Amino acid sequence: MTETALSPGPLARSGMRIVRRAGPILALALLCIGAAWVLPQRGPALGSLAMAMTLLFAAATSALVVLAQQRRQKQALAMIDAFVVNDALPTFITGADGAIRTRNKAASELAAQAATLAAALEQSFANPGAVLFRVQSRAMAEGHASEDVVSRRGHTRISAHMLDEGALLWRIEDMADRSAGPRGQVALPLLTVGRSGTILSMNEAARRLIGDRSKSLDRIFPHLPLRPGHVQEVNAATGRVSCLIAQSEGLAGRREIYLLPPPAELPAVGSDAAFLNDLPVALMRLDARGQVVQANRMALELLGRDSCDGVLLSSLMEGLGRSISDWLADAVSGRLTQRAEFLRLTRDDRDVFVQVSLHRTEERDGAALVAVLTDATEFKSLEAQFVQSQKMQAIGELAGGVAHDFNNLLTAITGHCDLLLLRHDQGDPDYADLVQINQNANRAAALVGQLLAFSRKQTLRPEVLDMRNTLADLTHLLNRLVGERITLSLTHDPALHAIRADKRQLEQVLMNLVVNARDAMAAGGEIRIETENLSLSAPLTRDRATMPAGDYVTITVSDDGCGMSDDVRARVFEPFFTTKGIAKGTGLGLSTAYGIVKQSGGYIFVDSVPGEGTRFRLYFPRWTGASEPAAADQRQDAPPAPIPPKIAAKPAAGVVLLVEDEAPVRAFAARALRLRGYTVIEADSAEAALDLLQDRDLTVDVFVTDVVMPGRDGPSWVREALQDRPDVKVVFVSGYAEESFGDTQRDLPNSVFLPKPFSLAELTETVHKRLH
């Protein structure tokens, strides 16, 4: 190989290496000789001299090792020289800093005077330093690396191999232009575009078409954005021309854009089959009846077939929403207003969606069609995720609104039922009927609570939980639920972390999952509940959800039952969706579990194989805070447990301003509070309440107000009223969850929340506790 002016460097560096390695040893040996010369006693002097001889031997050995290494390196370089000296490919040997040590004849012809490899390639590449850095980094890690680069010279492959002492062997290989056909007869215009849309390079065919070196897409395409598979106008050297756009993904976010002839100018069938077969876009020729006359290699790969000549297009894809034959007939006759449609391929191995653009052409036998296929699977997947999220959000809003209205009705029903129970003894014939009304109203309230759970608008009382203790407390109830033919097994991680969740709601989730597992195993079997710690070092994406990295506690409920199909599994968390028979389920169990888990900050996924069983896996973030500083306060704000209406209570004293827009609820609440001994002032709106408070002589001890009302809402009017009456206590009632206005409530002193529906006892006890 031809050596540059830097070639003697390895010899000088070897000498320096010998000095660096043996120099300290020689210095120490000389010091020992000097000590032996000046020491007066013979014994120490001989010892010092012996040490000096030992050090001199070590220095000589080190020098010999370095010389041997140098000789081996020279032999290795000589072998490399002999191997590549006459190689037609430019070959360089550089140091780790990129300085050229040697180069062969082809490299000298490429860049004879350049001192670094980056300088040698700067005439061929726009930014060679970045490419060389990437290749060198991978080569130093793996021993060798290569990267294909599109430049003004065409396609070039840069490869690097690690040598001793950090040296690298570089080879620059000009690849055959990938835009050319197998015989090199056709060169398609090719643009390489960066992540930001900047044109990084153009091949020679593109330069001839465009006429100059453009740096941005808007200089070439008058109408953006680009639509792969469609014909778009291009600002060419001779004026505007039409080109069929094809696009492929390159390295590091780059795109390679091919400018193809429009379908009307493609070669006729059989005239140049190789040209069509090697085009980087999926193309199909169809006759007027919709039969495939020709499909190129990209189209066959997309269709998952070896051949489709003579096959009807309607047999290859579906999902247009209308007859595909009618769609094709409109395209042939020129009546087609929308050229592109999204369809699903009839493949058995996987779901593939394509965007099909039809273009009318004239063949020898009459009108025909050219279909351009673009893989739209990722786009349709994103669209399905968006539609699903929109649907779930709409159902959640609907469920929350329905629950609010039902809670108002149930409050009136249960409240007036409590008032009737106060006037009837257990021996009264009507007492049993009233109890039935009360119990069924409570069941309806539980159903409404499930709607709120799905819409994530229920009130949660989170606390720090150890799932081992929670499951231990729940085991006896779960064993009764599963029956005798089913075995329930529990497996815990011995070092299980704590989580923060609502214990009662989490128990409901586990019971729902266990009951579903029981129903899936009519002949019996085993239900397994497992808990373990999980640490994610990177985000986990599955089932349209992305879990951030971090520490989690997982709860897995699995069975060996009948399993679910993919269609059922995709809809399993939708409300009112059930595969059980009539009157055997509401379809709210899993949707409730989904809402509770999501509102608790967790994730829930399901895996199932028909005939093999189902596995639900719940992920909850690990709790890393204090044990539970706020748990006691939260329990204090929780609604008190209902007390039997017949329990005698000491008459209370105080003035209550009751603000409620629903007349039945207001009537019940007013009567309940008056029966307890309070003086009640009623108002049907926030404006009416503020008008009453204009009377400075009016004394009010507590506000009981609905949150959501026509006009001004509860928190806004209470905030204004407390400016003049700061000592008044506040009780908010609502059919919505506390979280819907929790931040606003926390800004108001002396306020608590009472969710609807509430009983007579719950209302009176809450007011009593606020006043005392």
Side-chain angles (χ1 to χ4, degrees), residues 251-287:
L251 298 172
R254 298 178 180 180
R255 294 176 294 159
E256 295 183 347
I257 299 171
Y258 296 86
L259 307 180
L260 311 180
E265 299 179 10
L266 290 176
V269 178
S271 63
D272 198 341
F275 172 80
L276 289 177
N277 196 54
D278 285 286
L279 287 179
V281 63
L283 287 175
M284 300 172 63
R285 290 186 182 275
L286 310 172
D287 61 17

Side-chain angles (χ1 to χ4, degrees), residues 225-244:
L226 291 181
R227 296 184 297 164
H230 291 72
V231 175
Q232 291 187 235
E233 290 185 334
V234 175
N235 293 324
T238 58
R240 287 192 178 183
V241 297
S242 296
C243 293
L244 179 64

Side-chain angles (χ1 to χ4, degrees), residues 433-501:
D433 296 335
L434 293 173
V435 171
Q436 283 293 324
I437 294 173
N438 189 275
Q439 291 178 351
N440 282 280
N442 290 332
R443 289 181 58 192
L447 187 63
V448 173
Q450 288 182 304
L451 285 175
L452 283 174
F454 166 73
S455 60
R456 306 182 216 173
K457 294 181 178 179
Q458 65 173 341
T459 300
L460 295 182
R461 305 292 175 184
E463 55 184 297
V464 175
L465 300 176
D466 186 332
M467 286 309 303
R468 293 170 295 187
N469 298 333
T470 302
L471 285 170
D473 297 339
L474 193 61
T475 299
H476 69 284
L477 178 59
L478 295 178
N479 281 320
R480 293 195 316 187
L481 285 174
V482 300
E484 297 179 354
R485 292 184 298 177
I486 295 178
T487 303
L488 182 68
S489 64
L490 299 177
T491 304
H492 295 299
D493 189 321
L496 194 67
H497 300 313
I499 64 173
R500 191 169 187 267

Side-chain angles (χ1 to χ4, degrees), residues 596-678:
I596 293 173
V597 172
K598 297 298 288 184
Q599 193 174 355
S600 302
Y603 299 84
I604 179 170
F605 301 112
V606 57
D607 297 297
S608 185
V609 178
E612 297 184 12
T614 302
R615 183 184 71 173
F616 286 89
R617 197 169 192 187
L618 287 63
Y619 297 79
F620 292 94
R622 172 189 178 184
W623 175 250
T624 57
S627 59
E628 190 55 56
D633 296 337
Q634 290 172 345
R635 284 190 291 270
Q636 290 176 3
D637 291 346
I643 60 174
K646 292 297 182 180
I647 295 179
K650 181 174 66 176
V655 179
V656 178
L657 176 56
L658 176 63
V659 186
E660 171 63 62
D661 61 304
E662 289 286 340
V665 177
R666 188 173 67 252
F668 149 66
R671 287 184 59 189
L673 292 171
R674 289 190 179 107
L675 285 173
R676 185 65 188 268
Y678 296 107

Side-chain angles (χ1 to χ4, degrees), residues 134-292:
R134 291 197 299 269
V135 176
Q136 180 173 336
S137 298
R138 294 201 303 270
M140 293 178 69
E142 303 173 7
H144 63 87
S146 64
E147 182 171 326
D148 292 345
V149 182
V150 179
S151 68
R152 59 178 63 95
R153 300 174 53 196
H155 281 77
T156 303
R157 174 169 295 170
I158 302 176
S159 58
H161 299 264
M162 284 296 299
L163 303 177
D164 291 338
E165 299 295 328
L168 293 104
L169 173 69
W170 296 86
R171 304 185 76 201
I172 314 300
E173 181 179 3
D174 288 336
M175 309 294 290
D177 194 342
R178 287 184 293 175
S179 60
R183 295 165 292 181
Q185 296 175 344
V186 182
L188 296 175
L190 170 64
L191 312 175
T192 301
V193 182
R195 193 187 303 272
S196 61
T198 304
I199 297 178
L200 303 178
S201 64
M202 301 167 59
N203 68 351
E204 190 61 31
R207 289 175 179 274
R208 289 195 302 266
L209 176 65
I210 305 303
D212 62 351
R213 172 71 168 88
S214 299
K215 296 185 178 181
S216 60
L217 290 177
D218 56 358
R219 297 285 300 275
I220 298 177
F221 300 97
H223 304 294
L224 292 175
L226 291 181
R227 296 184 297 164
H230 291 72
V231 175
Q232 291 187 235
E233 290 185 334
V234 175
N235 293 324
T238 58
R240 287 192 178 183
V241 297
S242 296
C243 293
L244 179 64
I245 306 300
Q247 178 177 297
S248 63
E249 298 297 328
L251 298 172
R254 298 178 180 180
R255 294 176 294 159
E256 295 183 347
I257 299 171
Y258 296 86
L259 307 180
L260 311 180
E265 299 179 10
L266 290 176
V269 178
S271 63
D272 198 341
F275 172 80
L276 289 177
N277 196 54
D278 285 286
L279 287 179
V281 63
L283 287 175
M284 300 172 63
R285 290 186 182 275
L286 310 172
D287 61 17
R289 295 172 299 171
Q291 285 186 338
V292 179

